[in-house]
DNA sequence: TTGAAAGCGCTAACAC
DNA sequence: GTGTTAGCGCTTTCAA
């Protein structure tokens, strides 16, 4: 592969000039400019990105940390991220942590700052201490889809009001007339779905019900998790008329469980989720859910990170800016309906 | 961030020695070894991957080209790829081509050889000429999931016998007693699903039916595509008792169309797909499909590419090795059954 | 407007 | 065993 030097030689100029031409820096005479361009063309020259990364002090690369890219939510997000990065001439490294903080730390230590200029963090179960260390090492970190806008994490983040999302979902069920509602909370209590559940509880209480006392199960954030949780809930509380799930995947699992139990959704059981992933539209019955602004969040996250990466690095860490995306909104589909009149 | 040099200074040795210690090359005295390790520890040193890439002449990175990571098949594949790479200390760059050869070429030209040591190609609609140019530039290319083992593409590849998969799927329907079967072929005729359709036609003919004459629709490789194609097929040929789709996504779309038409699957319409993606298990009814060895293919692809990347580069391009994964196998679930007796 | 030169952080011969 | 010396290909002052 031809190098800058070879191009320079061929054009009868120095490497510095070629560099200037290629990146539009510094003044270059139109004649030399042309000669350089021709040489580039003739040789099929492409800049060596690793060399450039070294010289510039930062790679054209961003890392996206996820627990598993196979979770149906992540690819939708990653797609937008990749597009946004591509537009700015950057590239995307996918880091699967397998939900293991150790793996996450290993990734951060290896590539942050040396192979990736910055880090985008989805729900990857990372230690905040590791993230802060990463920032100290000079690689900005942005948290994507932070759940509680009012309770900033001390790191730059894009926040989504998931508490509100929980409220909206619960409120929808209540409005339909449901009173005996079971809740499925993805990941552990202290986990990131707490805000969504808080919203549910609040909406229930606002309706004069004992929200915190409603049947609840904590389950892995998967269809299987939702399936198992629903089976249990229904076994223990056969009178439930609706299921509130903090995420779409468990909600989809709830619908499967209902189907396997011979329960008609929504006639005999209503199900509502949160997020509005692609699958929610495609399931039968289609899932009623609360849509969050995924695309906007992804774009904001990239924008924010890009800014930090390019910032004169002092200002970067100090800011810890919080961007809030548009409010979640209810999307009514076919998985919810008024409860059957008893009898 | 501390550099090799600083570590060396602190340990009272030269950079070369530190390098040797860190990568276990060359002989180093146990005492110095310890001192170096301590210095590394104390300073929190991590190698600068971009610098190393430059010096070694190749980055620790592999590019995976896909048309869109949001296609449910890719993340499953990418997950395995990432894991395999991680085990060998490499990193994964995701390149979405949006199905556009131009975008694909731009990616290849930019990163192949300079930011990624090699390229893994899924069905990303790339020009073969561009791929060959990439190889010439020194970046090995491996085609993942090549469809026709008997018809190698002239590039190293991992092949899956999709023709056989098509046969298996069709044969299953025929065995159940179906005779009026509609086919949905993902992507265009000349496209990569041709082998699967060939298998279908062959199986039909073997059963004494006019395979090539069976109702067929070409559709985008998506649920929507399958939905639309099924609606059309059923409108035109109300007597169809089964749908054969060359991929799971369109098959899932077919089931949705059936549901929306009030047709019971499998009682009134059987549906079979190919691939066995996660969703196939999770749909209701669960999809009968032909499983291909995705995991094995992903691992083989990484293995093959790694070999080529590390090869003394002359031998690399010449080989064009073809690895074949285990044969596809039928997975019977709930979306297929014997056709209803007429009347 | 262009050139010369120093260096980014690391590796790899080869010499001691 | 350990040090010396050259780069890898590019960017970026600073001079000319």
């Amino acid at each position: 592969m031809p190098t800058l030097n070879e191009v320079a030689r061929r054009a009868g100029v120095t490497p510095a000039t070629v560099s200037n031409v290629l990146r539009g820096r510094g003044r270059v005479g139109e004649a030399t400019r042309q000669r350089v361009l021709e040489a580039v063309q003739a040789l099929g020259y492409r800049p060596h990105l690793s060399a450039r990364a070294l010289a510039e002090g930062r790679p054209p690369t961003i890392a996206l940390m996820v627990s598993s890219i196979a979770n149906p939510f992540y690819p939708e997000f990653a797609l937008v991220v990749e597009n946004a990065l591509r537009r700015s001439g950057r590239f995307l490294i996918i880091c699967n942590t397998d939900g293991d903080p150790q793996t996450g730390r290993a990734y951060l230590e290896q590539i942050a700052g040396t192979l990736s200029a910055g880090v985008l963090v989805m729900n990857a179960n990372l230690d905040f201490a590791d993230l802060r260390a990463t920032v100290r090492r000079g690689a900005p970190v942005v948290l994507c889809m932070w759940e509680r806008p009012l309770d900033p994490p001390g790191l730059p983040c894009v926040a989504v009001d998931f508490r509100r999302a929980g409220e909206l979902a619960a409120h929808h069920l209540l409005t339909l007339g449901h009173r005996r509602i079971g809740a499925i909370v993805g990941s552990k209590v202290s986990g990131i779905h707490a805000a969504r559940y808080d919203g549910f509880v609040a909406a229930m209480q606002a309706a004069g019900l004992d929200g915190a006392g409603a049947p609840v199960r904590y389950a892995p954030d998967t269809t299987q998790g939702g399936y198992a949780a629903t089976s249990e809930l229904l076994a223990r509380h056969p009178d439930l008329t609706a299921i509130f799930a903090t995420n779409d995947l468990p909600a989809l699992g709830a619908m499967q469980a209902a189907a396997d139990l011979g329960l008609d959704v929504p006639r005999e059981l209503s199900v509502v989720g949160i997020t509005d992933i692609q699958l929610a539209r495609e399931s039968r019955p289609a899932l009623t859910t609360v849509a969050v602004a995924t695309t906007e969040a992804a774009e904001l996250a990239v924008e924010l990170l890009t800014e930090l990466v390019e910032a004169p690095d002092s200002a970067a860490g100090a800011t810890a800016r919080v961007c809030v995306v548009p409010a979640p909104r209810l999307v009514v589909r076919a998985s919810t309906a008024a409860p059957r009149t008893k009898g």
Side-chain angles (χ1 to χ4, degrees), chain A residues 118-199:
Chain A
V119 180
L120 250 24
V121 177
M122 288 291 319
N123 174 23
N125 197 18
L126 294 169
D127 262 331
F128 267 55
D130 292 332
L131 291 177
R132 280 188 242 284
T134 302
V135 172
R136 252 178 278 122
R137 284 171 156 280
V141 168
V142 167
L143 265 31
C144 308
M145 317 272 303
W146 178 253
E147 305 251 329
R148 303 175 304 263
L150 269 28
D151 175 19
L155 278 170
C157 70
V158 173
V160 176
D161 190 349
F162 274 108
R163 184 180 203 281
R164 180 87 186 110
E167 274 176 16
L168 284 172
H171 187 255
H172 171 63
L173 293 176
L174 291 164
T175 302
L176 286 173
H178 293 276
R179 288 297 173 270
R180 294 180 306 283
I181 306 175
I184 299 176
V185 182
S187 60
K188 46 195 158 355
V189 195
S190 57
I192 66 154
H193 287 181
R196 311 178 187 197
Y197 181 52
D198 287 351

Side-chain angles (χ1 to χ4, degrees), chain A residues 2-17:
Chain A
T3 72
L4 233 211
N5 235 303
E6 301 178 82
V7 174
R9 204 166 10 252
R10 190 179 226 269
V13 297
T14 65
T17 302

